[in-house]
Amino acid sequence: LAKTTQPISMDSYEGQEVNITCSHNNIATNDYITWYQQFPSQGPRFIIQGYKTKVTNEVASLFIPADRKSSTLSLPRVSLSDTAVYYCLVGAFSGGYNKLIFGAGTRLAVHP
Amino acid sequence: EPEVTQTPSHQVTQMGQEVILRCVPISNHLYFYWYRQILGQKVEFLVSFYNNEISEKSEIFDDQFSVERPDGSNFTLKIRSTKLEDSAMYFCASTQGQGLRSNQPQHFGDGTRLSIL
């Protein structure tokens, strides 16, 4: 699984857009990029997944440049409840099963 | 939306005792996992399970650990003789498997907090 690098922490204010960038220079051809969110005392929760270009769902957007060596999770108009740790994971997940290798993630604090 | 459920939410056990953590994965999922997270640290992979056998396990998952799918709905993690360092949050996860166009994400339960005294 490709190694990822993301900021340890970020601060934002309610109503702002937050962009968290993840670097994955050694991403392989078959690798997908997946983001999870974790609140204190809860399990990680899947947010979004992409392979290339842009993916959008009801909670976030994921921007992936052509070289795929980085990706940016975009959270529009954050609220206090978006305060959490955000993890970027990269892997091919081939063979049907896979293990997720979590890094330290990015601790996002949203302030009033 | 269906979810992974784990019981109990908190388990307190004396060191050396056996403990069983229970999980009910999402019903049509085929792949099951256990992870743990020591307080303030990363989420760590323990084991993956498919077709009634272990697919992969980490170095953490030693002979003290075992997993079982005793029936069509439950998935359990047993720690035979608990140690102080086993104190952690234990998360169960499941996934349907690899989809046609994307990888199916893993769905996590909210964990069991295991405290070893």
Side-chain angles (χ1 to χ4, degrees):
Chain A
L1 295 173
K3 180 177 166 56
T4 61
T5 303
Q6 52 184 124
I8 293 173
S9 64
M10 294 182 70
D11 289 274
S12 184
Y13 293 91
E14 284 190 290
Q16 289 190 333
E17 177 183 82
V18 170
N19 295 309
I20 306 174
T21 297
C22 178
S23 298
H24 27 81
N25 290 318
N26 296 323
I27 190 168
T29 304
N30 294 331
D31 286 348
Y32 284 81
I33 301 155
T34 310
W35 285 80
Y36 282 81
Q37 172 192 56
Q38 186 180 27
F39 298 114
S41 299
Q42 292 188 22
R45 187 172 71 102
F46 170 81
I47 303 176
I48 198 165
Q49 182 183 81
Y51 183 79
K52 61 181 179 181
T53 62
K54 177 185 173 183
V55 179
T56 297
N57 62 22
E58 62 276 8
V59 298
S61 294
L62 179 60
F63 298 91
I64 306 168
D67 67 5
R68 303 200 328 122
K69 292 184 183 299
S70 67
S71 59
T72 299
L73 174 72
S74 181
L75 305 173
R77 297 180 299 282
V78 294
S79 63
L80 295 176
S81 61
D82 292 315
T83 294
V85 180
Y86 293 82
Y87 300 98
C88 165
L89 293 94
V90 174
F93 311 132
S94 62
Y97 74 91
N98 65 87
K99 61 183 180 186
L100 297 179
I101 306 297
F102 288 84
T106 297
R107 191 171 297 275
L108 173 66
V110 179
H111 305 281
Chain B
E1 182 179 308
E3 56 183 36
V4 175
T5 56
Q6 292 186 242
T7 55
S9 57
H10 191 189
Q11 174 80 45
V12 182
T13 302
Q14 292 286 333
M15 185 173 60
Q17 296 295 304
E18 175 183 284
V19 65
I20 297 176
L21 309 182
R22 302 181 191 280
C23 169
V24 179
I26 295 173
S27 63
N28 63 342
H29 285 188
L30 301 175
Y31 300 86
F32 313 111
Y33 312 82
W34 284 100
Y35 295 81
R36 80 171 186 190
Q37 186 174 30
I38 295 171
L39 185 64
Q41 298 188 24
K42 301 175 187 177
V43 177
E44 302 173 288
F45 168 78
L46 292 179
V47 65
S48 59
F49 190 88
Y50 170 70
N51 200 26
N52 283 319
E53 60 183 30
I54 290 174
S55 307
E56 186 174 358
K57 58 184 180 180
S58 72
E59 60 274 11
I60 301 169
F61 194 89
D62 61 22
D63 292 344
Q64 295 299 314
F65 290 87
S66 62
V67 290
E68 191 178 30
R69 188 155 164 82
D71 53 43
S73 59
N74 290 285
F75 180 51
T76 62
L77 174 70
K78 182 194 293 187
I79 308 175
R80 244 179 295 280
S81 177
T82 50
K83 304 186 284 286
L84 293 176
E85 53 265 39
D86 293 327
S87 295
M89 285 288 288
Y90 287 82
F91 296 110
C92 171
S94 68
T95 185
Q96 198 170 31
Q98 191 169 0
L100 286 177
R101 293 183 182 276
S102 67
N103 297 282
Q104 299 296 320
Q106 291 185 21
H107 295 260
F108 285 75
D110 279 339
T112 293
R113 180 177 300 281
L114 178 62
S115 300
I116 307 300
L117 304 179

